[in-house]
């Protein structure tokens, strides 16, 4: 391939608009040449995150916004195709903020502090896509969120929202490996069956077809010790009414609420935090970048031992990226949503 395909932002979606191809423009351009201290990375696969909606939507965002005409921001794994940086050789496998494009120009020493830094893949023996999933930021978010922020311990009851999604499916598996009782909340009977039969969750609640409060009454008579929340809104509210004494509520994300409606009023049942002497804490995975090796080593060890399943849901081709991202908001994904852009390089 001699050209670089890039997805550029063409229009900012309204906060309540579903993201689609109409918000982007696919162009072809020349591949950049690296200057001193730079390298060119050929994208192998791209990851996804609900946060990407906030990069482009009108309205509030915790993240830097992308302007019209800019390459859509996103994390990817790639192979170094040309290096003029002393620490990177041609052929190195690297995870970086590649953006939605075939080739990205990277300047490792002048990284934007608001994006996760460029990292060499420690163990290229594992499937490379795993460096965007359980051995990447999704795995680290699950690991530190559950164990560092949530302080989940053996014997405790852990409830997870968006449990069949990328981060949720890893959180549940880590909680099981830690000796917890695990209940997932997910959309639809198929996902709920998969959580119990495929990932060994103790129970799953289909929030689209079941009354979450009634199910939690039955499943958690002594209350919920840790709630790992990926969705916020109504589900957070119901779970708050079911927490145990000294519970920990980990605020990882709020996909059901973010940026659609600036009139979000926050949880109604937060007064239960006082009654139950409970803690609700948000965290940002960027703050754990100095400890990524620790998560990667532990998760890699579990994976190699067959104790952790790598749940990937992979689309094919850079041209599908807008729909790949869209699936996070329509519940179309099971496990970590990725897009394969190019084959793995030969060994
Ligand atoms: N704190 C951090 O540092 C950090 C880092 C990365 C990601 N995050 C957050 O972590 C969360 C999970 O991210 P992920 O990449 O693993 O995404 P994901 O869970 O794979 O995808 C999103 C899932 O959310 C569910 N969902 C979508 N709309 C919903 C709604 N209105 N109500 C309830 N559920 C809804 C869908 O599953 P169903 O079919 O079950 O509805 C969908 O599959 C996101 O909120 C993300 O923003 C936080």
């Amino acid at each position: 391939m001699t050209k670089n395909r890039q997805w550029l932002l063409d229009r900012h979606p309204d906060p309540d608009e579903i993201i689609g191809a109409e918000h982007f423009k696919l162009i072809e351009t020349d591949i950049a040449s690296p200057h001193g201290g730079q390298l060119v990375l050929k994208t192998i696969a791209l990851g996804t995150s609900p946060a990407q909606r906030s990069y482009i939507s009108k309205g509030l965002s915790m993240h830097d916004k992308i302007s019209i005409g800019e390459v859509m921001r996103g994390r990817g794994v790639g192979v170094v195709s040309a290096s003029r940086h002393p620490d990177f050789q041609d052929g190195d496998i690297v995870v970086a903020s590649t953006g939605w494009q075939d080739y990205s120009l990277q300047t490792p020493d002048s990284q934007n502090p608001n994006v996760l830094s460029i990292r060499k893949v420690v163990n290229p023996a594992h499937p490379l896509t795993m460096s965007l999933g359980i051995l990447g930021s999704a795995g680290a978010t699950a690991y530190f969120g559950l164990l560092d922020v949530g302080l989940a311990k053996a014997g405790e009851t852990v409830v997870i929202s968006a449990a069949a999604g990328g981060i949720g499916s890893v959180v549940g598996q880590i909680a099981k490996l830690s000796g917890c009782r695990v209940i997932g909340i997910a959309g639809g009977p198929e996902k709920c069956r998969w959580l119990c039969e495929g990932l060994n969750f103790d129970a799953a609640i289909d929030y689209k077809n079941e009354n979450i409060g009634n199910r939690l009454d039955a499943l958690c008579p002594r209350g919920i010790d840790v709630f790992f929340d990926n969705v916020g809104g109504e589900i957070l509210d119901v779970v708050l009414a079911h927490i145990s004494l000294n519970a920990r509520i980990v605020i990882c994300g709020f996909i059901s609420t973010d940026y659609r409606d600036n009139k979000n009023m926050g949880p109604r049942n937060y007064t239960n935090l006082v009654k139950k002497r409970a803690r609700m804490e948000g965290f940002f995975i960027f703050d754990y970048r100095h400890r990524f090796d620790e998560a990667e080593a532990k998760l890699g060890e579990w994976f190699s031992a067959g104790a952790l399943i790598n749940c990937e849901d992979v689309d094919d081709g850079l041209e599908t990226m807008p729909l790949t991202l869209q699936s996070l908001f329509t519940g179309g994904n099971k496990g970590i949503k990725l897009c394969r852009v190019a084959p793995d390089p030969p060994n």
Side-chain angles (χ1 to χ4, degrees), residues 48-51 141 162 165-168 186-187 191 207-208 230-231 235 252-256 260 283-285 328-329 331 333 335:
T48 58
S49 171
T141 304
I167 290 170
K191 284 191 178 182
Y207 76 91
K208 291 186 175 165
N230 289 308
V231 310
I235 291 177
C252 178
F254 32 88
I255 191 169
S256 77
R260 283 182 210 192
F283 77 105
F284 221 161
I285 193 57
L328 300 183
F329 301 96
N333 68 308

Side-chain angles (χ1 to χ4, degrees), residues 183-186 188 192 204-220 234-235 237-239 241-242:
I183 298 162
I185 302 176
C192 288
I205 302 172
D206 172 3
Y207 76 91
K208 291 186 175 165
N209 297 293
E210 295 182 297
N211 181 302
I212 305 173
N214 290 348
R215 290 294 317 277
L216 289 176
D217 282 340
L219 288 166
C220 311
E234 201 57 41
I235 291 177
D237 238 338
V238 178
V239 174
H242 289 81

Side-chain angles (χ1 to χ4, degrees), residues 123 126 130 134-135 295-305 308:
N123 189 349
H126 291 314
M130 284 177 68
I134 63 172
L135 301 185
E296 186 173 345
K298 191 66 199 166
L299 293 161
E301 187 186 310
W302 277 327
F303 173 73
S304 299
L308 185 65

